Amino acid sequence: MAVGSVNPLRAGLRLGRMPEPSVMVIFGGTGDLTARKLMPALYDLARQRLLPPAFVVVGVGRGQMTDAEFRGQLRGAVAEHSRSRPIDEDVWRSFAERLFYVSVRADEGYDDLRRRLGQLDRDLGTEGDRLFYLATPPAAYVPIVRSIGRHELRNGDGWARIVVEKPVGHDLASATALSHTLHEVFDEDEIFRIDHYLGKETVQNLIVLRFANSIFEPVWDRRYVDHVQITVAESLGVGERAEYYDRAGAMRDVVQNHLLQLLTLVAMEPPAAFDANAVRDEKVKVLRAIRPIRAEEVAERAVRGQYTAGFIEGEPVPGYHELAEVAPESRTETFVGLKLFVDNWRWEGTPFYLRHGKRLPKRATEIAIQFRAVPHQLFSADAREGLEPNTLVVRIQPEEGISLKFGAKVPVQGVRIRSVAMDFVYDASFLIDAPDAYETLLLDALRGDATLFTRQDETEEQWRLVDPIIESWRSGQLDLPDYAAGTWGPTEADLLIGRDGREWRQP
């Protein structure tokens, strides 16, 4: 069976399966991603006893550092960023004993790394199984992958997998080239392209909501759904990522990956089984069915914007051009709005409105499925004044949950209808903390379950959709409207949906 697949007979047990003994090699072991996300997630997995006893982490970085110094540095990161605080000293002590560090600069040090991995296999029983994680800037991906192959870091007696962080390329050509390089050393089912949104509990719950409940499937199509809105709003600016962000922009940073992945989960057909290939096959079908936005349609179906100075929660914030790392003439978009169609039997003619922006009024990610109005109104206009459309909202952050809005009679004489909501909130319903997205995804990668990771064809189809839009914007023939920080984007975004007689819902 392929390394990246899951035995369908075990699919119902995927959450209870202990990973095999292994070594996780983190390139960028002293970096920000390792400190804020990877190591706290691994510690929390250890605290829940979800890691095998024979599990080792080897951090790889350019600086010189002892194992003890590496452990001390990571203890502070775990104490600050773990979701379980304060730190459990007994768990940490046992976990830290399996943390090691190797210095690698350019192509020097890989032989030392190979010898260290072999020693750990012999001494700690990790059996040659290795998960490589690229927690480095994208420019380092290709040389690292080729060094893994050239220095024979894979052990022929065990399995090997590699996790690649986004961005996977900056356009279709570079994404394809990166995949070709990865395939020099790894098979496709050994490559785990990570999108942390897919590890969020509510995103996974969207699959359960659709395919474990018979009440939704009959109305989940063009006959009953008026339109779908997917919003990823951020109140923060670009922060310390300004230099990267000014090269990437909102389209590459969030829309090409997170937003399109959410769309596929809303629109996909029921997979034959809940395993990696079946789920991803259906997602790819959705991406291939999305109607491309041709150059002459960009002005009508794609909106961009760039934030200026404004106020967030009453506090003044600078505009994008005021950041030191941003060129005064920069035309990088910090807001994107799209109108997409999925041209297939289920969704023909149903618009999907997507938007993402920096420095919007609040941090919120949600999917809103708005249903059509009833075909015939029995009640007077006065009775239903203020009645809003039936809407199913999947809230992904900050408060994970699901709500359904419907009309109910107000308890007064006569008939007066008001919209009410049935609300499901994760924390209140289950009284437990949901696992962090990286906990879920790291555990799946160690198990070899690629269901929540993106495949090469998914990534390439996403780039095929956004590349023509980016190229049209790059031509300079289309405006780059601005919007004040603390507002919901440029006026053009309201016109994008307003021309269809609809409006954006406010999260």
Side-chain angles (χ1 to χ4, degrees):
M1 176 170 291
V3 173
S5 64
V6 175
N7 185 337
L9 297 177
R10 295 181 58 87
L13 301 176
R14 72 185 284 268
L15 293 181
R17 182 157 54 90
M18 177 68 72
E20 298 164 334
S22 55
V23 177
M24 181 174 174
V25 182
I26 304 177
F27 293 94
T30 58
D32 186 59
L33 177 63
T34 300
R36 289 189 304 106
K37 295 294 184 182
L38 303 185
M39 206 54 61
L42 289 171
Y43 163 79
D44 283 323
L45 289 173
R47 184 181 55 83
Q48 299 167 76
R49 299 183 179 179
L50 293 174
L51 296 176
F55 176 74
V56 172
V57 176
V58 176
V60 178
R62 293 181 295 178
Q64 295 294 328
M65 190 182 302
T66 66
D67 293 338
E69 290 171 334
F70 182 58
R71 293 165 183 169
Q73 183 181 92
L74 293 178
R75 189 191 186 288
V78 168
E80 181 178 358
H81 298 292
S82 167
R83 67 183 177 89
S84 52
R85 304 175 195 171
I87 197 167
D88 185 313
E89 294 298 340
D90 291 335
V91 173
W92 171 255
R93 190 178 304 109
S94 175
F95 178 65
E97 289 174 352
R98 301 300 178 104
L99 302 180
F100 302 91
Y101 181 80
V102 176
S103 175
V104 171
R105 295 183 63 87
D107 199 44
E108 298 178 3
Y110 280 94
D111 289 335
D112 293 337
L113 177 58
R114 185 185 67 249
R115 286 189 287 270
R116 190 70 178 275
L117 293 176
Q119 178 188 352
L120 293 171
D121 287 338
R122 292 187 297 272
D123 295 347
L124 300 178
T126 47
E127 301 180 4
D129 294 335
R130 290 164 190 175
L131 177 68
F132 300 98
Y133 199 112
L134 302 185
T136 65
Y141 291 175
V142 169
I144 289 174
V145 170
R146 287 181 171 156
S147 292
I148 290 173
R150 186 163 52 248
H151 294 273
E152 300 179 346
L153 297 188
R154 297 186 55 143
N155 187 312
D157 296 330
W159 53 254
R161 304 174 191 131
I162 187 166
V163 180
V164 183
E165 277 280 345
K166 80 172 187 72
V168 181
H170 62 271
D171 56 17
L172 176 59
S174 59
T176 303
L178 176 58
S179 290
H180 288 165
T181 300
L182 289 166
H183 290 155
E184 293 173 9
V185 183
F186 298 91
D187 293 333
E188 177 59 29
D189 58 11
E190 298 172 325
I191 301 169
F192 289 63
R193 298 171 186 84
I194 194 168
D195 184 336
H196 73 271
Y197 261 55
L198 298 185
K200 292 180 179 293
E201 280 294 298
T202 311
V203 173
Q204 297 175 70
N205 203 41
L206 179 60
I207 301 175
V208 175
L209 178 76
R210 288 195 56 193
F211 303 130
N213 298 286
S214 62
I215 62 173
F216 294 114
E217 180 59 24
V219 297
W220 205 274
D221 63 21
R222 58 184 171 78
R223 295 171 299 172
Y224 296 96
V225 175
D226 179 79
H227 71 278
V228 177
Q229 295 184 27
I230 306 178
T231 297
V232 177
E234 299 180 17
S235 59
L236 296 176
V238 298
E240 298 178 356
R241 302 169 66 232
E243 185 176 353
Y244 156 76
Y245 194 92
D246 202 45
R247 297 192 305 269
M251 181 70 91
R252 290 189 177 100
D253 188 47
V254 171
V255 178
Q256 182 271 338
N257 38 76
H258 300 333
L259 268 170
L260 288 179
Q261 282 291 313
L262 294 179
L263 186 154
T264 63
L265 294 175
V266 173
M268 64 186 278
E269 296 296 320
F274 190 49
D275 64 33
N277 284 328
V279 171
R280 296 188 294 180
D281 285 347
E282 298 303 332
K283 290 164 64 183
V284 170
K285 289 177 185 177
V286 173
L287 292 169
R288 289 174 177 164
I290 295 176
R291 187 185 307 170
I293 298 180
R294 298 189 298 269
E296 61 271 21
E297 299 176 308
V298 169
E300 181 181 348
R301 292 178 52 200
V303 170
R304 60 177 176 163
Q306 189 182 85
Y307 70 82
T308 59
F311 293 84
I312 302 289
E313 298 180 349
E315 296 295 325
V317 296
Y320 184 72
H321 274 160
E322 298 175 50
L323 303 177
E325 300 86 349
V326 174
E329 69 279 5
S330 171
R331 291 179 60 81
T332 297
E333 77 284 354
T334 62
F335 179 97
V336 173
L338 298 177
K339 177 183 176 181
L340 299 177
F341 293 94
V342 179
D343 290 335
N344 62 16
W345 190 277
R346 182 183 292 266
W347 295 111
E348 184 64 33
T350 304
F352 286 71
Y353 300 101
L354 280 59
R355 64 173 170 171
H356 159 66
K358 296 283 190 182
R359 287 301 190 195
L360 301 185
K362 62 187 294 188
R363 173 177 174 258
T365 299
E366 69 169 35
I367 301 166
I369 294 94
Q370 182 171 312
F371 295 94
R372 295 184 182 276
V374 296
H376 176 68
Q377 288 290 352
L378 297 177
F379 309 102
S380 68
D382 289 342
R384 51 189 167 83
E385 183 180 1
L387 179 65
E388 300 174 40
N390 297 144
T391 306
L392 180 68
V393 179
V394 179
R395 299 186 305 273
I396 297 170
Q397 63 181 17
E399 183 183 66
E400 295 185 294
I402 300 171
S403 66
L404 177 63
K405 183 182 296 182
F406 60 96
K409 181 184 179 299
V410 179
V412 296
Q413 293 295 336
V415 177
R416 187 182 305 164
I417 306 171
R418 189 178 70 189
S419 290
V420 295
M422 289 193 299
D423 215 16
F424 155 66
V425 179
Y426 257 90
D427 292 346
S429 296
F430 294 116
L431 302 178
I432 58 174
D433 290 335
D436 178 79
Y438 275 94
E439 290 177 52
T440 299
L441 295 171
L442 287 176
L443 192 58
D444 278 359
L446 289 167
R447 290 170 173 157
D449 183 349
T451 305
L452 301 178
F453 295 81
T454 55
R455 204 167 56 190
Q456 179 183 356
D457 50 356
E458 284 183 81
T459 300
E460 293 179 356
E461 290 297 334
Q462 290 168 185
W463 281 118
R464 284 192 181 94
L465 288 167
V466 305
D467 272 1
I469 303 171
I470 294 173
E471 186 57 37
S472 294
W473 287 342
R474 187 184 298 146
S475 69
Q477 298 177 8
L478 298 172
D479 291 337
L480 175 61
D482 57 34
Y483 62 98
T487 65
W488 283 103
T491 302
E492 286 77 1
D494 294 328
L495 295 176
L496 174 74
I497 192 170
R499 284 192 292 265
D500 299 332
R502 302 180 176 99
E503 61 183 21
W504 295 108
R505 56 170 274 113
Q506 300 307 321

